[in-house]
């Protein structure tokens, strides 16, 4: 074939082939190292490092049993229901463990973790700097505001913070609600151990109001239809609810955070959204999951499945009718 | 078959090439060397076939020994209870990709070296380098079969590398005469189609800073355009030595995970007398008879569990199945092979069962 003109092309061809062969070996080497390298950014690795999870097949999760819509124990069956309960199941299942629900009261949440009586706490546990010194948190999984529950007949007398200060206000020991009211200058606090005790006290006229998270109050208002109303005192600062974890176990903190992130990414199809729509949306209205903070992005075996293949059937949030009815009862937009 | 370089049947091309001056004409270099049937018989051919047939058998037995933890009695227990058919089936399932990888690497290196020997007029003599001799000796059904096996069992991420290896092994070049422009046009069209098909994955990988993935998806395809043909003479020797060593090292490195891959499936057996806390036995079920279930435990030793005490038994995945990337090509994960992708479309992956979390045997 060749004539004089083809010679340079041939040399160019040899050079190009030589370069291609050398680069190909480099690419093959890179591919080989890619196969050989072991990733530590996996759920399996983090799980193996967690001292809390080591050697366990069942996780004890502390939950509250007296908070309608959040965590309520049926005395007849012993079964728990509510948003927190579903979140606890999502976390335990995501971690790959069987779950054993253990009742804890508000004051017991911290100590149960510190003493190792439970491995996780999903019980309307607000994330605070003070608590972070003794327990770890993953989340937030819900943002809530503090409000006040009063008997319906007192709706006209308790409308503002100053009105409230003239009445007895039941709060739960070791709760952030109590801390807030103390900061607000409340002196007539009726401190009790459980929300149930506060509700009973209101019904027996031993106290006038209950102040705690809006989610818990919405549950009681829904349970005692027409007997109570929720008053929004205008405390705009939201509290973030987190999953309580043993202090120092950053591996477990990352694992739980990763599960929350996974739910957050799935958006309206997530199990979080299903749980919210089923439990809280009827009284609190539509809401989406807050962005989890400081969570790693870990790989799991199920990440081989394409996101397009994940098609969880998420029930829609109920019609607005119920929401409007409940919101209509919220009175007295008082300001500090 | 000339498009494929005509190994095994391109005698015309070989004859034509044999008269050319390699210092002037690029065509002979890109043409295939003599086919296997034109080469004299040599001992390496026997060694090649001995390796192909004998290695799986030897490795399968050695795997049982490794799985038994090196214990003679445990090995004998496994040998007595593992069906040879199951052993071979387990070998095929776990080693098909390894066999394909090693042979593809051998044929790719051999193809490049053969092209050089052809360019220097050595087509009718015994190829100097071992892989070149193996490449020349391998019949088309074996070479093509290896590449097809690779196409089915390699991770999708590495399929572009397989294409590159195919171009090297079969000396496929768009620059070759005749009809060079037609070939170039076809190559350009193939590149465009490839880019369009993989663009969503490549752009996603780029956005996630997965440079390795972008490189593995793009670089081999571009290199494939220039891989066929002779390399510079002074590079042949260092390339041949390095490539032979690299393939040998790759094989040794790949043999280790292969040897330690269990022959039997990983189970957790939950057992214990009624009314007492359960014991979690993590390991491999060797035998189930009327009285006992025999478990070869991960932590060592063999446990004979009375069947009446078994509460449940679950199958567990291995940690190696966790992927590194969150990237898919039309719903198939880049770290899945075509075969696995088809499998997942039939039956999606399930979450790990809680019982599989047991590292040691706690009493829950």
């Amino acid at each position: 074939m060749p004539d004089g003109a083809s010679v340079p092309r041939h040399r160019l061809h040899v050079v190009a082939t030589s370069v291609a062969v050398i680069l190909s070996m480099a690419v093959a080497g890179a591919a080989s190292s890619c196969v050989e390298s072991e990733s530590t950014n996996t759920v399996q690795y983090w799980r193996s490092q967690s001292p809390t999870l080591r050697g366990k097949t069942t996780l004890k999760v502390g939950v509250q049993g007296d908070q309608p819509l959040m965590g309520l124990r049926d005395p007849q069956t012993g079964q728990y229901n509510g948003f927190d309960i579903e979140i606890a199941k999502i976390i335990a299942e995501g971690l790959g463990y069987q779950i054993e629900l253990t009742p804890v009261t508000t004051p017991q949440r911290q100590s149960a973790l510190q003493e190792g009586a439970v491995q996780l706490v999903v019980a309307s546990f607000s994330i605070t700097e003070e608590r972070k010194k003794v327990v770890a948190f993953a989340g937030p999984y819900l943002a809530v505001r503090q409000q006040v529950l009063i008997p319906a007949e007192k709706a006209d007398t308790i409308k503002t913070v100053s009105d409230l200060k003239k009445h007895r206000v039941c709060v739960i020991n070791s709760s952030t609600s109590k801390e807030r009211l103390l900061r607000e200058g409340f002196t007539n606090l009726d401190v009790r151990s459980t929300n149930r005790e506060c509700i009973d006290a209101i019904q027996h006229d031993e106290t006038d109001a209950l102040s705690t998270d809006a989610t818990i109050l919405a549950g009681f208002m829904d349970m005692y239809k027409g007997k109570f109303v929720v008053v929004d005192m205008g405390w705009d600062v939201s509290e973030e609810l987190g999953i309580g974890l043993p202090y120092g176990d950053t591996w477990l903190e990352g694992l739980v955070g990763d599960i929350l992130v996974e739910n957050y990414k799935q958006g309206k199809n997530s199990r979080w959204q299903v749980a919210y729509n089923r439990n809280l949306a009827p009284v609190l209205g539509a809401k989406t999951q807050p962005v989890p903070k400081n969570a790693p992005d870990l790989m799991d075996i199920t990440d081989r499945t394409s996101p397009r293949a994940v098609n969880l059937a998420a029930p829609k949030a109920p019609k607005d009718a119920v929401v409007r009815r409940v919101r209509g009862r919220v009175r007295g937009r008082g300001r500090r | 078959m000339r498009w494929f370089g005509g190994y095994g049947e391109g005698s015309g091309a070989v004859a034509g090439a044999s008269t050319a001056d390699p210092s002037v004409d690029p065509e002979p270099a890109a043409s295939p060397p003599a086919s296997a049937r034109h080469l004299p018989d040599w001992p390496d051919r026997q060694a090649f076939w001995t390796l192909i047939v004998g290695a799986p058998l030897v490795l399968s037995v050695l795997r049982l020994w490794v799985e038994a933890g090196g214990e003679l009695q445990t090995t004998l227990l496994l040998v007595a209870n593992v069906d040879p058919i199951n052993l071979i089936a387990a070998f095929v399932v776990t080693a098909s990709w390894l066999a394909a990888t090693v042979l593809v690497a051998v044929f790719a290196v051999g193809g490049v070296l053969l092209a050089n020997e052809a360019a220097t007029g050595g087509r009718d003599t015994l190829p100097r380098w071992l892989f070149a001799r193996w490449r020349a000796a391998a019949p088309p059904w074996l070479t093509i079969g290896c590449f097809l096996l690779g196409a089915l069992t390699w991770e999708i991420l590495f399929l572009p590398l397989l294409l590159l290896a195919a171009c090297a092994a079969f000396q496929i070049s768009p620059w070759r005469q005749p009809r060079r422009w037609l070939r170039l046009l076809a190559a350009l069209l193939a590149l465009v189609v490839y880019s369009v098909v993989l663009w969503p994955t490549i752009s996603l990988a780029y956005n996630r800073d997965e440079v390795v993935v972008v490189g593995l998806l793009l670089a081999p395809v571009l290199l494939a355009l220039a891989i066929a043909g002779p390399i510079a003479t002074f590079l042949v020797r260092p390339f041949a030595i390095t490539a032979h060593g690299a393939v040998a090292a790759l094989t040794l490195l790949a043999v280790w995970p292969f040897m330690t891959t269990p022959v039997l499936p990983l189970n957790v057996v939950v057992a214990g007398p009624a009314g007492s806390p359960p014991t979690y036995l993590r390991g491999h079920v060797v035998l189930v008879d009327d009285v006992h279930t025999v478990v070869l435990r991960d932590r060592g030793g063999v446990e004979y569990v009375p069947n009446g005490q078994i509460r449940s038994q679950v199958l567990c995945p291995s940690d190696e199945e966790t992927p590194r990337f969150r990237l898919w090509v039309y719903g198939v994960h880049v770290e899945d092979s075509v075969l696995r992708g088809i499998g997942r479309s039939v039956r999606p992956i399930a979450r790990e069962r809680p019982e599989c979390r047991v590292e040691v045997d706690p009493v829950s």
Side-chain angles (χ1 to χ4, degrees):
Chain A
M1 114 165 206
D3 52 25
S6 69
V7 174
R9 212 164 49 204
H10 170 52
R11 284 179 182 154
L12 188 66
H13 190 186
V14 169
V15 170
T17 304
S18 302
V19 172
V21 165
I22 292 168
L23 289 177
S24 298
M25 289 184 74
V27 172
S32 174
S33 65
C34 182
V35 171
E36 293 298 324
S37 66
E38 281 190 18
S39 174
T40 56
N41 198 35
T42 65
V43 168
Q44 285 76 13
Y45 182 79
W46 282 54
R47 202 157 37 208
S48 69
Q49 298 299 309
S50 167
T52 310
L53 299 180
R54 193 162 298 145
K56 292 190 175 61
T57 54
T58 302
L59 288 181
K60 289 184 178 175
V61 183
V63 294
Q64 303 234 33
D66 69 337
Q67 296 180 352
L69 303 185
M70 291 296 280
L72 187 66
R73 184 175 179 273
D74 185 334
Q76 303 296 324
T77 63
Q79 297 289 311
Y80 287 87
N81 289 296
F83 180 70
D84 273 349
I85 307 301
E86 294 200 34
I87 294 297
K89 288 176 180 173
I90 291 169
I91 299 298
E93 194 175 309
L95 289 169
Y97 289 81
Q98 290 161 349
I99 185 170
E100 182 182 323
L101 296 174
T102 305
V104 291
T105 59
T106 301
Q108 289 173 337
R109 293 176 298 190
Q110 260 177 227
S111 58
L113 279 173
Q114 288 173 301
E115 292 161 7
V118 296
Q119 283 83 51
L120 289 90
V121 165
V122 189
S124 299
F125 207 3
S126 301
I127 303 172
T128 65
E129 291 304 318
E130 198 62 30
R131 285 175 178 162
K132 279 183 183 175
K133 292 173 185 168
V134 286
V135 295
F137 283 99
Y141 68 93
L142 193 65
V144 295
R145 294 173 63 201
Q146 183 177 347
Q147 292 179 339
V148 176
L149 183 86
I150 58 171
E153 62 270 18
K154 292 182 182 174
D156 292 332
T157 54
I158 304 177
K159 293 181 177 177
T160 63
V161 173
S162 54
D163 292 340
L164 190 63
K165 281 185 176 175
K166 296 169 190 164
H167 293 78
R168 295 161 295 176
V169 182
C170 189
V171 288
I172 311 302
N173 195 20
S174 304
S175 67
T176 50
S177 303
K178 176 189 159 194
E179 299 302 319
R180 168 179 283 279
L181 293 191
L182 285 175
R183 283 200 305 274
E184 293 279 339
F186 280 76
T187 53
N188 52 353
L189 295 183
D190 178 7
V191 181
R192 296 179 186 254
S193 296
T194 66
N195 294 298
R196 167 56 56 195
E197 288 178 22
C198 287
I199 292 292
D200 290 345
I202 294 174
Q203 288 180 315
H204 293 104
D205 204 25
E206 294 169 13
T207 194
D208 299 308
L210 164 62
S211 179
T212 186
D213 296 344
T215 47
I216 300 169
L217 299 182
F220 281 116
M221 203 170 68
D222 189 56
M223 179 182 264
Y224 297 95
K225 288 185 169 59
K227 286 190 176 179
F228 296 103
V229 291
V230 170
V231 184
D232 188 345
M233 292 291 168
W235 294 318
D236 286 332
V237 180
S238 285
E239 285 187 0
E240 294 179 330
L241 303 188
I243 315 287
L245 305 162
Y247 184 77
D249 191 347
T250 51
W251 302 102
L252 182 57
E253 195 180 328
L255 285 165
V256 175
D258 179 60
I259 294 166
L260 292 174
V261 167
E262 200 58 36
N263 271 268
Y264 180 77
K265 284 182 187 169
Q266 290 172 4
K268 64 180 182 181
N269 289 328
S270 72
R271 291 183 65 189
W272 184 98
Q273 197 67 56
V274 173
Y276 183 86
N277 290 351
R278 184 157 40 217
N279 294 287
L280 297 177
V283 288
L284 292 178
K287 208 170 191 177
T288 55
Q289 184 184 349
V291 185
K293 293 174 184 169
N294 304 321
D297 192 13
L298 302 178
M299 302 295 293
D300 195 5
I301 192 166
T302 47
D303 280 319
R304 282 188 185 267
T305 306
S306 166
R308 292 191 304 175
V310 178
N311 186 23
L312 297 172
K316 303 266 188 212
K319 296 290 182 190
D320 286 339
V322 183
V323 178
R324 278 199 299 273
R325 179 170 58 79
V326 174
R327 280 178 176 166
R329 293 184 195 154
V330 175
R331 312 272 180 88
R333 300 268 168 191
R335 292 287 181 269
R336 277 185 291 172
Chain B
M1 200 60 193
R2 297 180 80 181
W3 180 264
F4 282 82
Y7 278 124
E9 53 187 280
S11 56
V14 172
S18 65
T19 57
D21 176 2
S23 67
V24 174
D25 186 0
E27 300 313 317
S31 297
S35 68
R37 63 177 177 269
H38 293 148
L39 290 168
D41 202 7
W42 69 82
D44 284 342
R45 181 178 291 187
Q46 283 184 333
F48 177 80
W49 286 109
T50 305
L51 199 67
I52 291 289
V53 176
L57 290 173
V58 174
L59 287 175
S60 291
V61 176
L62 290 180
R63 282 178 70 188
L64 285 184
W65 194 15
V66 171
E67 184 152 348
E71 291 285 332
L72 175 62
Q73 297 306 322
T74 312
T75 310
L76 294 175
L77 176 74
L78 287 180
V79 170
N81 291 290
V82 176
D83 193 312
I85 298 296
N86 292 352
L87 197 60
I88 296 298
F91 180 87
V92 170
V93 168
T94 54
S96 52
W97 70 269
L98 173 62
T101 303
V102 172
L103 289 174
V104 160
V106 165
F107 293 150
V109 173
V112 172
L113 293 173
L114 270 184
N116 264 78
E117 301 214 14
T120 52
R123 286 174 305 282
D124 295 328
T125 59
L126 195 64
R128 180 182 174 195
W129 300 100
L130 181 66
F131 289 176
R133 291 203 291 270
W134 283 2
R135 170 68 189 97
W141 65 263
L142 180 64
T143 44
I144 294 172
C146 281
F147 279 90
L148 286 178
L149 187 61
L152 289 174
T153 58
W154 277 26
E155 294 177 9
I156 285 174
L157 183 60
F158 299 134
L159 287 186
L161 264 179
L162 187 68
L163 176 73
L164 175 65
C167 289
F170 297 108
Q171 290 292 295
I172 303 168
S173 172
W175 306 99
R176 184 180 301 172
Q177 296 282 21
R179 299 193 295 276
R180 174 180 289 169
W181 292 111
L182 194 62
R183 289 165 188 267
L184 281 172
L185 194 65
L188 188 66
L189 191 67
L191 265 181
V192 170
V193 170
Y194 179 85
S195 305
V196 170
V197 168
L198 282 186
W199 181 249
T201 308
I202 292 170
S203 61
L204 188 61
Y206 179 78
N207 290 333
R208 292 183 179 176
D209 293 330
E210 300 287 7
V211 183
V212 175
V213 176
V214 175
L216 285 174
L217 290 178
L218 284 179
V221 183
L222 298 174
L223 291 170
L225 296 172
I227 195 78
I231 58 176
T233 312
F234 72 92
L235 275 178
V236 172
R237 188 178 173 80
F239 165 74
I241 293 171
T242 309
H244 279 72
V247 173
L250 170 78
T251 307
L252 286 175
L253 283 174
V255 161
W256 171 250
F258 164 71
M259 290 294 290
T260 52
T261 302
V263 175
L264 297 167
L266 180 62
N267 286 271
V268 168
V269 176
V270 185
S276 65
T279 302
Y280 294 79
L281 301 169
R282 184 184 170 93
H284 309 276
V285 175
V286 179
L287 169 69
V288 180
D289 60 21
D290 293 341
V291 183
H292 290 106
T293 295
V294 183
V295 183
L296 175 62
R297 292 168 70 173
D298 262 9
R299 60 188 287 185
V302 176
E303 194 84 29
Y304 287 78
V305 186
N307 286 341
Q309 291 188 9
I310 293 179
R311 301 182 188 180
S312 67
Q313 184 175 336
V314 296
L315 185 68
C316 301
S318 56
D319 289 351
E320 292 77 32
E321 292 175 46
T322 305
R324 292 179 183 77
F325 311 108
R326 279 200 189 89
L327 296 166
W328 298 267
V329 179
Y330 294 97
V332 180
H333 195 269
V334 294
E335 291 168 81
D336 277 341
S337 65
V338 171
L339 271 183
R340 287 183 87 168
I342 293 170
R344 291 203 201 289
S345 68
V346 174
R347 207 177 308 283
I349 195 164
R351 275 200 178 277
E352 202 169 356
R353 292 282 297 272
E355 292 87 343
C356 298
R357 304 284 183 245
V358 183
E359 305 287 345
V360 288
D361 300 334
V363 175
S364 178

